[in-house]
Amino acid sequence: MQRITILGATGSIGASTLDVLARHPDRYAVYALTAQDKVEVLAAQCEKFHPQVAVVGTAEAAAALQGLLRQKGVKTEVAYGKDALCRVASAPECDTVMAAIVGAAGLEPTLAAARAGKKILLANKEALVMSGQLFMDAVTANGAMLLPIDSEHNAIFQCLPDAYHRSPGQHGVAKVMLTASGGPFLTRPTATLDLVTPEEAIAHPKWVMGRKISVDSATMMNKGLEVIEAHWLFGVAINQIEVVIHPQSIIHSMVSYVDGSVIAQLGNPDMRIPIAHALAYPERIASGASPLDLTRMSNLQFEKPDFLRFPCLKLAYEAVKAGGATPAILNAANEVAVQAFLDRRIGFRMIDSLIGRVLDRIAPDNIIAGIEHLLEHDRAAREATRALISRY
Ligand code: NAD
Ligand code: MG
């Protein structure tokens, strides 16, 4: 029996994970569920999955959850705050951690899981984008196992040999090709992009996801973060990572080998596929996703991304080339700008211009001394972004 902690259980990935777990009660038990708020949803999840612990963001949310659980007669222990998140991610009672908190808030608990040598199913790409080498070192030093949930990275993982271990040269890997749907604004006239509303930006053509990643998909910052994620996960140089726009989202990514072979992973766009893959790895279990009918896919298209339409993608490439704290600054500025866009305080095109200006303004350190040092850059970038926004 694999015992699981889900960080971010009430989100889109959290719900899909529970959906897969519910199909295999003989294999998986839930140790802990966490959420920032949404206590009603979390209470219903506790009633169904009986975790030992549930963690929320604040004392008020904890009191509300406690009350709901008492009414339902559910005996889950309730805790709150960052330390509690780190505790349930590293507890000896859990084997596997689904890291599905959105944004930088997931970094410390996910790192705690790595330091405790857990099997980590990584959806929270921002954590790896921010901490890069530091995170990978913690995984290696503590014998943790890192399995990607992001559909592209999970696809690449499936297209690589078992003995790969971040060594492209030894396995004849020429490059990895990340597919991107291009989001809702692939063909919209660029001159009208500043008029888009949050509702239009989060209406993704192929995937149903949380609001932040949906906006990231519309700016293609999501793909930029994924380029950085691929660099760390697979040990590939930046010039070995290619982004290909593929609006149908059927090929989830590819690996190109030196002999000219290209291996791809295909499937319907359903996050339960990578989740089931990573949960059961190296075995296979049913995910609930519908089977792919290739006869209905006569027209698969591929094109190069346009950096003028999607400047965030270019900013991300530049940030990972700069290295050090730059990706953490990029990520923090993006999180603040996306939230401001969702709150209707800035226009859509302000997201990329703000990130560009914050990157110009903050001098990043090239060597990261540790997690606290990284978080200082995160805080400084957030403050700088907020200061720029407040002038509008
Ligand atoms: P979501 O917004 O639907 O859910 C986020 C979860 O994190 C919620 O449970 C929320 O309560 C929790 N959370 C939010 N802020 C928090 C905080 N400050 N402290 C603690 N918990 C907090 O997001 P999602 O779409 O499920 O995405 C989660 C992560 O997975 C993101 O990093 C995203 O990039 C990645 N991801 C998502 C998808 C997808 O299809 N949704 C695909 C690939 C990768
Ligand atoms: Mg993805």
Side-chain angles (χ1 to χ4, degrees):
M1 190 66 97
Q2 230 182 100
R3 295 160 304 171
I4 310 208
T5 286
I6 305 181
L7 303 170
T10 55
S12 160
I13 293 288
S16 294
T17 305
L18 287 170
D19 182 284
V20 176
L21 295 184
R23 293 165 195 276
H24 305 280
D26 51 320
R27 297 179 69 115
Y28 306 107
V30 178
Y31 165 64
L33 295 176
T34 88
Q36 181 63 5
D37 35 41
K38 288 205 183 160
V39 288
E40 285 84 9
V41 178
L42 188 59
Q45 292 177 340
C46 290
E47 191 175 15
K48 185 161 176 199
F49 292 93
H50 296 283
Q52 218 165 303
V53 192
V55 181
V56 287
T58 60
E60 298 74 54
L65 179 64
Q66 192 75 264
L68 289 169
L69 293 179
R70 208 171 300 123
Q71 278 170 24
K72 293 174 189 285
V74 178
K75 292 201 174 57
T76 297
E77 174 196 323
V78 176
Y80 68 91
K82 201 164 61 184
D83 290 350
L85 285 177
C86 293
R87 250 190 341 267
V88 295
S90 57
E93 295 93 332
C94 116
D95 312 296
T96 300
V97 175
M98 165 55 84
I101 289 175
V102 58
L107 174 59
E108 286 168 89
T110 309
L111 197 56
R115 288 179 175 151
K118 301 297 181 196
K119 172 174 167 183
I120 303 170
L121 314 189
L122 185 75
N124 181 200
K125 67 192 87 183
E126 297 92 342
L128 183 57
V129 164
M130 290 174 74
S131 60
Q133 190 69 55
L134 196 122
F135 190 85
M136 296 311 296
D137 287 349
V139 167
T140 311
N142 298 288
M145 183 181 194
L146 189 57
L147 292 165
I149 293 298
D150 221 337
S151 56
E152 297 77 2
H153 305 74
N154 183 271
I156 291 168
F157 182 90
Q158 294 196 46
C159 298
L160 289 168
D162 282 344
Y164 179 68
H165 296 310
R166 303 177 75 219
S167 48
Q170 281 176 37
H171 296 277
V173 170
K175 61 182 176 185
V176 299
M177 292 188 272
L178 294 171
T179 53
S181 71
F185 307 137
L186 184 58
T187 56
R188 179 169 169 145
T190 43
T192 70
L193 279 180
D194 210 36
L195 304 173
V196 309
T197 62
E199 290 73 20
E200 289 173 312
I202 62 178
H204 195 277
K206 290 290 169 199
W207 300 93
V208 180
M209 311 180 283
R211 280 153 47 96
K212 190 260 177 184
I213 183 177
S214 298
V215 176
D216 284 349
S217 299
T219 61
M220 279 193 80
M221 178 57 92
N222 182 50
K223 209 51 53 181
L225 299 177
E226 290 183 1
V227 167
I228 305 176
E229 185 184 13
H231 168 64
W232 291 114
L233 282 174
F234 304 118
V236 281
I238 300 307
N239 61 10
Q240 290 179 295
I241 307 172
E242 185 178 326
V243 172
V244 184
I245 296 202
H246 165 47
Q248 293 76 24
S249 300
I250 292 301
I251 296 182
H252 296 304
S253 278
M254 296 164 261
V255 176
S256 169
Y257 288 88
V258 288
D259 60 4
S261 299
V262 176
I263 303 187
Q265 185 259 358
L266 288 71
N268 280 318
D270 186 328
M271 288 307 293
R272 291 176 300 178
I273 298 175
I275 291 168
H277 168 266
L279 273 170
Y281 179 80
E283 293 170 38
R284 296 272 179 178
I285 56 169
S287 69
S290 50
L292 182 64
D293 179 357
L294 272 177
T295 61
R296 295 174 62 190
M297 325 262 149
S298 57
N299 188 16
L300 296 185
Q301 296 161 307
F302 305 92
E303 60 183 270
K304 274 190 191 310
D306 172 358
F307 280 161
L308 291 175
R309 177 180 287 277
F310 298 113
C312 283
L313 183 57
K314 185 157 181 269
L315 288 169
Y317 266 108
E318 287 167 359
V320 67
K321 279 186 200 145
T326 309
I329 296 169
L330 169 98
N331 177 68
N334 181 56
E335 285 189 28
V336 174
V338 168
Q339 190 57 52
F341 167 71
L342 286 169
D343 295 341
R344 298 176 207 279
R345 296 183 58 206
I346 61 169
F348 185 71
R349 287 308 303 271
M350 276 289 294
I351 299 175
D352 65 81
S353 82
L354 274 169
I355 300 166
R357 285 163 69 191
V358 171
L359 284 168
D360 287 342
R361 216 159 264 225
I362 298 187
D365 287 330
N366 291 329
I367 309 233
I368 304 297
I371 182 79
E372 204 31 60
H373 185 193
L374 200 62
L375 293 174
E376 276 166 28
H377 278 91
D378 174 81
R379 282 191 287 270
R382 279 166 204 272
E383 270 166 37
T385 318
R386 286 194 198 102
L388 287 169
I389 293 171
S390 69
R391 289 195 208 140
Y392 285 94

